[in-house]
Structure formats: C-alpha cells, structure tokens
Amino acid sequence: MNTTTIAVIGTGIMGAPMAGRLAEAGYTVTAWNRTSDKASALHARGVVPANGAVDAVAGADVVICMLSSGPVCETVLIDDGVIAAMRPGSILAVMSSIPVETAIVLAKACGDRGIACLDAPVSGGEKGARDGTLAIMAGGDEAIVDRLRPLFSCLGRVTHVGPSGSGALTKLANQLIVASTICAVAEALTLARSGGADPARVREALLGGFADSTVFRQHGLRMVEGNFTPGGPAKYQVKDTSTALGFARSRGLTLPVSEEVDRLFEAMVDHGDGELDHSGVILELQRMNAGGGSSA
C-alpha cells in the first residue's frame, strides 16, 4: 500500500476513473462530489466516499481537484474552505480546465497557508482517464511536479511547462487545437456526404495521411456513427474556447479561426445540444446547411 493519501474533489466523467485508477494503484483515496452518488459508486474500486469536501481533504497529502470550471473551483476550494482545511505541507493539484488568472489566485491562496499548488489540467478525454494515458500539463514548482511523478504516472504522462498559470494556459492552447480540428473534421465529412461519398469510407481513406490525428480517428468515428454520448460535453468546450479568447484579448491578440470555432460551438449549445459530446458540432453544421444529411 502506498503511504501517500489522496483526496479527489470532483468525480464526474474524468475524475471518477482517475480516482479509481489511483486507488487500484495502492493509494488511499477519499473522494467527494457535489452529486454524492457519483462518489459512492467508486467504493467498489477502493475509493472511500466523503460526506463533504472539507471532510475529504482532512489529513490528505495530496488533493486533486477535478471540478467543472474556474468559478466552481474557486467556490469550493476557497469560499467553502477546502484550502483552509488542508494541512500545511500538503499539495493541491488542480487538474480542472481553469482560467490562467484562477490558477494564479489558487496558487497564492495555497502559498499563504504553506501548501504547494500545481495547475495541472489534462487532455485525453474519458478514454484517456480510463486507460491512464492522459496528457498532463503542469504549472508551478518543478520540484513539486517531480514529487508527484509516481502519482501522475498512474494517470498518464506529465510535463512541467512553467510557473503557476502555465498549465492552465497550455490547456487553453490544447483546447483551441482540439476545437478547431473537430470543426474541420465535421466540415470535411459534411462536404463528403453532400457530394455523394460515403463518410465512413472517406474517414478510412484518410487514416495515416496528413489529415490523420487522434481527433480525426476518435471524433470522426463518432460523427460517422452518430454517437454523441458525451466524453467531452460541448458546453465545456465553449467554456474553454471562450476563456482562451478572453485571455488572448487581454494580451492584445486576435485569433480569427478560434473566434469562428467558438461561435459555432456557442450556436450548438444555444440550440440545446450542450450536453452532447463536442463532436456533435456536426449537427450544428447540418442545421446551418438545411439538414444536408441526417448524420455523417
């Protein structure tokens, strides 16, 4: 049994399999989720559910936060007293996608109490969380990243990218690439169907070429099959693209492709599809083109 004790705050689509993997690796893991059933369901994997977030972190060596957004992280970690309940010398790893500014606020709040803080968001979706193949981009003290490498290795591959806020910024860059690629794949398959080609065979033909990518393989298949069960809900994609564009504006930057991609996902959410996987953006293209094909 590993002697490091871990508290996981947030056991949704990503947090639940991450908590399960850590428990199965021999860590003592306590978990809390706002919807308590999601944490209780992990008991079979060796995770101990907690009655409250503050209860979960009491005595923990490492606290992993996998909540849905920056504002929710600030509310739970600062306003609701999670950081205040953590012991000095412990480590907070915020693995949610949050604004750069939020990462810096959380790092300061932790520093004031003698707690180390990393902003260490992840990419790889639900499949990566289940398989332990997440890309983890960590901002903060590199020595703290090194201390957590054995823990992170249960979840995926970690890279230290710079000081506090750098992990959050790297995730925003990741999300712009993912969002724009999903939209490009959706447009390509929509075009193929409109011209009379079989989208499934078009996808097959392009595998291994320059158009190939993880997004093309996984989300292109979702589009071909019409399977939009959420791995990454569209409403969170909008959160991240909008956050990235806000940061870009604060730096005096104009990102025209990302702005159009953000508008497309916003339209998808506005039409009631925010709970669908972000690959469901192809449905928005079909609406824009007068239903040119029921699925791609």
Side-chain angles (χ1 to χ4, degrees):
M1 173 69 72
N2 194 301
T3 58
T4 301
T5 60
I6 302 171
V8 178
I9 305 299
T11 56
I13 290 173
M14 301 287 286
M18 291 166 66
R21 287 190 63 84
L22 290 168
E24 289 166 357
Y27 291 97
T28 299
V29 181
T30 302
W32 172 83
N33 194 75
R34 286 174 295 177
T35 305
S36 59
D37 289 350
K38 292 183 178 180
S40 299
L42 290 166
H43 189 268
R45 297 186 67 178
V47 177
V48 179
N51 292 324
V54 168
D55 294 334
V57 306
D61 300 310
V62 179
V63 175
I64 292 175
C65 177
M66 277 300 294
L67 296 169
S68 60
S69 69
V72 173
C73 287
E74 283 199 69
T75 296
V76 173
L77 296 176
I78 296 178
D79 298 343
D80 294 349
V82 166
I83 290 174
M86 292 175 63
R87 63 173 182 79
S90 61
I91 303 170
L92 173 64
V94 183
M95 303 185 77
S96 313
S97 299
I98 59 175
V100 175
E101 297 83 357
T102 302
I104 293 171
V105 167
L106 293 175
K108 183 180 186 307
C110 285
D112 289 345
R113 291 190 53 79
I115 298 165
C117 183
L118 300 176
D119 49 292
V122 300
S123 180
E126 183 182 9
K127 184 178 187 302
R130 288 197 315 266
D131 296 346
T133 57
L134 293 170
I136 306 167
M137 45 217 89
D141 187 340
E142 188 169 10
I144 300 300
V145 176
D146 289 339
R147 280 176 57 187
L148 293 191
R149 282 188 187 278
L151 183 159
F152 285 142
S153 70
C154 300
L155 307 175
R157 174 183 57 84
V158 65
T159 303
H160 178 250
V161 293
S164 295
S166 299
L169 180 58
T170 304
K171 179 60 187 286
L172 292 180
N174 176 85
Q175 293 303 82
L176 291 186
I177 294 170
V178 169
S180 60
T181 305
I182 287 176
C183 289
V185 171
E187 288 189 350
L189 294 180
T190 298
L191 177 67
R193 176 176 287 279
S194 178
D198 180 344
R201 294 200 174 187
V202 169
R203 175 184 171 277
E204 182 180 350
L206 297 180
L207 293 175
F210 276 3
D212 198 3
S213 67
T214 300
V215 168
F216 180 72
R217 286 176 178 264
Q218 294 186 13
H219 292 296
L221 182 60
R222 282 177 171 271
M223 295 174 195
V224 165
E225 295 179 342
N227 173 19
F228 305 123
T229 301
K235 64 182 182 180
Y236 294 152
Q237 185 71 78
V238 172
K239 168 187 69 88
D240 290 340
T241 52
S242 296
T243 298
L245 289 170
F247 186 78
R249 285 190 289 270
S250 76
R251 308 294 296 177
L253 299 176
T254 300
L255 305 178
V257 172
S258 297
E259 288 171 359
E260 190 57 41
V261 165
D262 186 56
R263 282 192 288 270
L264 189 58
F265 277 108
E266 281 190 346
M268 177 184 174
V269 172
D270 289 344
H271 281 116
D273 288 340
E275 298 293 340
L276 298 182
D277 188 80
H278 45 185
S279 58
V281 74
I282 196 168
L283 301 175
E284 189 58 34
L285 288 175
Q286 291 169 6
R287 277 189 284 265
M288 292 172 66
N289 291 286
S294 59
S295 65

